[in-house]
């Protein structure tokens, strides 16, 4: 790494921020002016600095890119699934970045109908995303949404799949979410607040009418809630969901009667969460009603949907999280989580003996997927582990026979799953809680303490971080890296209490769990502080910001992707997308106790004069979830405080948002930057 190039120093313009008599001075508040040429100039200087400092790795980045790309089957396609008389397929062609969406009528031997070739649609755009594909009941029309900026602001279109005509019915600035009524001419869709981007409206559009006259069906007044609209599996009902972090509310409408009025299923009660599925005259409800922390299954008739009529089907269990259900004509399939591992439970409606699908590994992920057909005995599920490529499997729930429909191919000829060892270990947190970790490494690894190790975690929103296979990760494993996922509190890996133990006023458990996992892999000679690296994105980027303030000495390098690091200022600004809906996750800083607690861990507010690890930070100028100025301010401030010669990079994609580049191979180039950062540091360390 080149040491004599000077990093850009952001101009200091103090902004005084006051709350509850507490004064914070933000020297870089001005960086939030996205349209200010001086801001763009500074961001470009950060990019120029990053490019200059890493110029010596450019050839290596290209090699890594080609290496990772070579493992991917470029002319790949999804396993077809049957829906309403058509088999639907998503495929890629060699050398092309974007998917092609197609279908075949009745039989897989039928001619292919290409619905959308995103490679053609993406021409002329630096970013392209097609989303929200919804097919009308008569199979003739497709609603679809397009984002060409990366800010998740979509334009909704309608295409006649028979003639290929794009209809005049076009709606600007939507969320991309839509669904059809059964009359094949009425479409319900969601719109968002133009400033906060909160999904807050459901509108009804009738084909051929002016979109300006679309009827507002529902407006969500509570700014902590988001709305969505869709059709449940039987296609009998259209559902509007209103949800916040802790509370849900549904409205139902018969899909045959689009001009009717939506009926509240069960009005919102703070803390009551539920989701609904329909089958045979009953709604089945996954809910936390009656303090069912890990959720239970209940049912009620179509006529009486108030919670007082709900009847228990599967009771609440303290040690098993009920995650979801799939309903078939003859079977109820329940997705559960026990001791941090997925379970799929098959329950015949006729009362025959229930059973679980058998899984053996301790570092696997299993999940039901694309089960849109109601009248079938076939359950489609996915399976993978950290050393086992993903498979899609069709399982006959009557005969118990299974057919592997597709196993992920790892091209190049050198991959052998037997070359890798998977392990599940448990670190002890400072409060005595056992924290599971899933790890994978090459079989030749020796516990000398000299192995490079990348520790990854997320730890927020109850999002479970399951063990999964990655072809790109092989580029690290085959170079001696150990890869570890820490299943820290804040996720839902060990049930709902695991999530509740890492949010609000217990958020610091997320950070200390990760630090204790870091200490475990060092103490047990998997690695050492000289060779330990950490990675997290978005809320996981907050985690990265917190741990380098709390225990920077444990890490040689940090990768912080689109990091949420200016917690207090962001959560006090209710004009920023997502903020008000986050109060149940982080707390409302307009309440003094939450303000003080947030400030005590907010990475930006807790930077000090000290030594920091080597850090690579990535962000996107158009990010709608974590605004670019958070990492920009964080890096600018850290530059003035760090007392060492470690590197600090800010890499800004000026054409993308929260998810980074849109093309599948462009995303590999971003990954090659991260891997070259790690491997270059290892080269220097050794």
């Amino acid at each position: 790494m080149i040491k004599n190039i000077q990093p850009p120093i952001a101009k200091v313009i103090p902004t005084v921020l006051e709350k509850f008599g507490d004064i914070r001075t933000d020297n870089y508040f001005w960086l939030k002016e996205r349209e200010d040429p001086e801001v763009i100039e500074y961001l470009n200087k950060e990019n120029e600095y990053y490019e200059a400092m890493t110029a010596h790795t450019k050839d290596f980045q290209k090699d890594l890119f080609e290496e990772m790309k070579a493992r991917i089957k470029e002319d790949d396609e999804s396993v077809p699934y049957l829906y309403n008389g058509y088999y639907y397929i998503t495929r890629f062609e060699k050398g092309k970045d974007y998917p092609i969406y197609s279908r075949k009528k009745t039989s897989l031997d039928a001619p292919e109908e290409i619905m959308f070739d995103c490679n053609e649609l993406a021409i002329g755009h630096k970013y392209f995303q097609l989303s929200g594909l919804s097919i009308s009941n008569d199979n003739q029309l497709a609603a679809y949404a397009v984002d060409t900026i990366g800010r998740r602001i979509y334009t909704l279109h309608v295409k006649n799949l028979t003639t290929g005509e794009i209809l005049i019915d076009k709606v600007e600035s939507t969320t991309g979410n839509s669904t059809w009524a059964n009359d094949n001419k009425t479409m319900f869709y969601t719109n968002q607040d133009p400033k906060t981007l909160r999904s807050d409206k459901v509108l009804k559009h009738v084909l051929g009418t002016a979109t300006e006259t679309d009827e507002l069906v529902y407006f969500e007044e509570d700014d902590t809630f988001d709305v969505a609209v869709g059709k449940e599996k039987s296609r009998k009902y259209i559902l509007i969901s209103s949800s916040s972090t802790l509370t849900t509310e549904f409205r139902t409408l018969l899909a045959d009667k689009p001009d009717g009025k939506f009926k509240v299923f069960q009005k919102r009660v703070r803390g009551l969460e539920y989701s609904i599925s329909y089958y045979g005259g009953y709604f089945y409800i996954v809910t936390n009603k009656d303090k069912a922390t890990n959720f239970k299954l209940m049912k009620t008739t179509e006529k009486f949907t108030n919670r007082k009529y709900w009847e228990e089907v599967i009771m609440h269990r303290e040690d098993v999280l009920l995650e979801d259900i799939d309903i078939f004509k003859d079977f109820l399939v329940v997705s559960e989580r026990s001791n941090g591992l997925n379970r799929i439970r098959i329950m015949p409606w006729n009362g025959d003996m229930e059973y679980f699908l058998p899984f053996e590994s301790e570092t696997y992920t299993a999940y039901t997927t694309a089960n849109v057909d109601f009248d079938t005995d076939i359950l489609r599920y996915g399976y993978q582990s950290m050393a086992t490529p993903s498979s899609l499997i069709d399982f006959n729930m009557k005969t118990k026979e299974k057919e592997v429909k597709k196993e992920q191919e790892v091209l190049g000829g050198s991959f052998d799953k037997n070359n890798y060892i998977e392990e599940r270990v448990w670190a002890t947190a400072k409060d005595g809680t056992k924290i599971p970790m899933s790890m994978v490494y090459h079989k030749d690894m020796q516990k000398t303490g000299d192995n490079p190790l990348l520790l990854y975690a997320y730890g927020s929103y109850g999002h479970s971080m399951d063990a999964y296979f990655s072809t790109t990760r092989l580029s690290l494993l085959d170079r001696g890296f150990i890869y570890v996922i820490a299943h820290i509190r804040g996720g839902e890996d060990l049930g709902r209490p695991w999530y509740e133990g890492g949010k609000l006023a217990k958020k610091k458990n997320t950070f200390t769990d990760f630090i204790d996992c870091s200490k475990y892999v060092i103490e047990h000679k998997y690695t050492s502080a000289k060779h330990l690296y950490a990675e997290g994105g978005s809320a996981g980027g907050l985690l990265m910001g917190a741990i380098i303030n709390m225990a920077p000495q444990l890490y040689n390098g940090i990768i912080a992707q689109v990091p949420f690091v200016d917690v207090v200022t962001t959560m006090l600004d209710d004009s920023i997308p997502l903020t008000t809906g986050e109060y149940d996750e982080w707390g409302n800083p307009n309440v003094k106790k939450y303000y003080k607690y947030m400030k005590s861990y907010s990475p930006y507010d807790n930077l000090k004069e000290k030594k920091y690890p080597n850090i690579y930070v990535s962000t996107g100028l158009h990010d709608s979830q974590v605004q670019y100025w958070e990492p920009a301010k964080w890096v600018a401030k850290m530059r003035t405080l760090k007392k060492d010669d470690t590197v600090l990079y800010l890499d800004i994609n000026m054409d993308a948002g929260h998810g980074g580049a849109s093309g599948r191979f462009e995303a590999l180039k971003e990954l090659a930057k991260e891997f070259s950062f790690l491997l270059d540091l290892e080269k220097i360390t050794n």
Side-chain angles (χ1 to χ4, degrees), residues 431-445:
D431 64 359
T433 303
K434 298 292 185 181
I435 313 297
M437 289 184 279
S438 300
M439 62 171 62
V440 62
Y441 47 83
H442 197 277
K443 65 180 181 181
D444 296 335
M445 188 273 291

Side-chain angles (χ1 to χ4, degrees), residues 86-210:
Y86 279 82
Y87 284 94
Y88 287 88
I89 304 160
T90 303
R91 62 181 178 84
F92 287 90
E93 292 184 348
K94 190 167 184 175
K96 295 184 178 180
D97 258 333
Y98 295 97
I100 296 169
Y101 296 98
S102 67
R103 65 179 186 172
K104 297 181 178 183
K105 188 174 183 179
T106 309
S107 165
L108 288 172
D109 295 324
E112 180 188 46
E113 301 176 25
I114 293 180
M115 299 185 294
F116 302 98
D117 184 341
C118 294
N119 299 286
E120 293 182 1
L121 296 172
I123 293 173
H125 301 290
K126 293 183 178 179
Y127 179 93
F128 181 84
Q129 181 72 44
L130 185 145
S131 181
L133 185 58
S134 178
I135 309 296
S136 62
N137 219 38
D138 63 2
N139 293 309
Q140 299 301 303
L141 301 170
Y144 66 103
V146 170
D147 173 15
T148 57
I149 298 294
R151 196 157 168 77
R152 303 189 184 185
I153 301 174
Y154 292 89
T155 299
L156 190 62
H157 303 269
V158 179
K159 181 177 182 178
N160 185 314
L161 295 175
T162 302
T163 66
E165 176 191 8
I166 306 298
L167 305 189
I168 61 171
D169 307 77
K170 182 172 78 169
V171 189
E172 305 278 2
S173 302
T174 75
T175 67
N177 169 223
S178 69
T179 195
W180 293 94
N182 288 346
D183 65 356
N184 306 304
K185 67 178 184 180
T186 305
M187 183 172 62
F188 294 89
Y189 64 93
T190 52
N191 240 342
Q192 55 202 1
D193 182 283
K195 189 172 185 181
T196 66
L197 303 186
R198 179 176 71 93
S199 177
D200 60 358
K201 305 175 193 71
V202 179
L203 294 99
K204 180 171 68 174
H205 176 73
V206 178
L207 290 183
T209 65

Side-chain angles (χ1 to χ4, degrees), residues 120-409:
E120 293 182 1
L121 296 172
I123 293 173
H125 301 290
K126 293 183 178 179
Y127 179 93
F128 181 84
Q129 181 72 44
L130 185 145
S131 181
L133 185 58
S134 178
I135 309 296
S136 62
N137 219 38
D138 63 2
N139 293 309
Q140 299 301 303
L141 301 170
Y144 66 103
V146 170
D147 173 15
T148 57
I149 298 294
R151 196 157 168 77
R152 303 189 184 185
I153 301 174
Y154 292 89
T155 299
L156 190 62
H157 303 269
V158 179
K159 181 177 182 178
N160 185 314
L161 295 175
T162 302
T163 66
E165 176 191 8
I166 306 298
L167 305 189
I168 61 171
D169 307 77
K170 182 172 78 169
V171 189
E172 305 278 2
S173 302
T174 75
T175 67
N177 169 223
S178 69
T179 195
W180 293 94
N182 288 346
D183 65 356
N184 306 304
K185 67 178 184 180
T186 305
M187 183 172 62
F188 294 89
Y189 64 93
T190 52
N191 240 342
Q192 55 202 1
D193 182 283
K195 189 172 185 181
T196 66
L197 303 186
R198 179 176 71 93
S199 177
D200 60 358
K201 305 175 193 71
V202 179
L203 294 99
K204 180 171 68 174
H205 176 73
V206 178
L207 290 183
T209 65
T211 56
E212 294 81 7
T213 63
D214 288 352
E215 178 187 344
L216 179 64
V217 173
Y218 178 67
F219 173 64
E220 178 53 68
E221 296 181 357
D222 190 330
D223 62 7
T224 66
F225 280 72
D226 293 287
V227 297
V229 65
K231 199 181 289 182
E232 48 77 31
K233 187 173 178 177
S234 77
R235 305 202 294 275
K236 182 175 181 177
Y237 285 96
I238 293 170
L239 307 178
I240 293 176
S241 67
S242 293
S243 58
S244 69
T245 306
L246 295 175
T247 308
T248 47
E249 180 180 70
F250 279 86
R251 287 168 169 76
T252 64
L253 175 69
L254 288 167
D256 288 336
K257 297 182 178 180
D259 293 327
K261 298 295 183 185
F262 279 86
K263 172 190 172 186
V264 176
F265 185 88
Q266 160 60 47
K267 69 178 182 180
R268 67 190 64 180
V269 176
R270 180 164 174 78
L272 176 65
E273 298 175 68
Y274 68 93
S275 61
I276 57 179
S277 305
Y278 176 77
Y279 166 64
Y282 286 91
F283 283 104
Y284 286 79
I285 309 146
V286 176
T287 180
N288 65 347
K289 181 178 178 287
D290 305 320
K291 298 181 181 180
T293 307
N294 273 334
F295 292 80
K296 60 182 176 178
L297 183 63
M298 307 186 81
K299 71 175 184 178
T300 193
T301 63
E302 293 175 88
K303 187 175 181 181
F304 300 105
T305 60
N306 185 280
R307 61 177 172 165
K308 68 182 178 182
Y309 299 108
W310 298 0
E311 303 171 14
E312 194 169 88
V313 177
I314 298 176
M315 65 183 292
H316 173 254
R317 292 154 292 171
E318 296 288 345
D319 58 343
V320 178
L321 174 67
L322 198 166
E323 291 192 310
D324 202 3
I325 62 170
D326 287 280
I327 287 179
F328 298 86
K329 181 180 178 182
D330 295 326
F331 296 91
L332 171 66
V333 178
V334 182
S335 297
E336 303 177 342
R337 186 179 294 270
S338 177
N339 200 31
L341 298 174
N342 308 114
R343 302 196 307 189
I344 298 177
R345 181 181 180 186
I346 313 295
M347 303 176 67
W349 289 116
N350 65 8
D352 286 352
M353 184 72 73
E354 64 178 68
Y355 59 94
F356 290 91
L357 296 185
F359 304 118
E360 296 177 0
S361 170
E362 275 202 328
T363 58
Y364 72 87
T365 299
Y367 49 92
T368 66
T369 178
N371 290 289
V372 294
D373 193 6
F374 172 73
D375 190 6
T376 179
D377 296 328
I378 302 299
L379 169 71
R380 178 165 291 174
Y381 71 94
Y383 177 87
Q384 60 186 302
S385 75
M386 295 188 81
T388 306
S390 63
S391 296
L392 275 181
I393 300 160
D394 277 359
F395 178 79
N396 189 307
M397 294 180 281
K398 281 190 176 174
T399 65
K400 300 184 181 179
E401 296 173 322
K402 70 177 184 179
E403 177 187 0
V404 177
K405 302 297 290 186
K406 181 180 181 180
E407 183 169 6
Q408 179 183 3
E409 292 186 58

Side-chain angles (χ1 to χ4, degrees), residues 245 431 433 435 458-463 487-493 495-514 539 542-543 584-587 597 601:
T245 306
D431 64 359
T433 303
I435 313 297
Y458 185 70
S460 290
Y461 301 106
H463 179 72
H487 306 286
I488 54 181
R489 281 175 285 187
E492 213 167 53
D493 306 65
R496 193 54 178 264
W498 201 249
Y499 169 39
E500 293 175 351
K503 62 182 289 195
L504 295 172
K506 296 181 180 178
K507 188 65 210 169
K508 288 183 184 177
N509 284 339
T510 302
F511 316 139
T512 55
D513 283 359
F514 191 90
L542 162 64
L543 169 65
D584 286 332
E585 178 72 22
W586 311 102
Y597 188 73
Y601 68 74

Side-chain angles (χ1 to χ4, degrees), residues 3 13 110 306:
K3 297 295 184 181
I13 305 177
N306 185 280

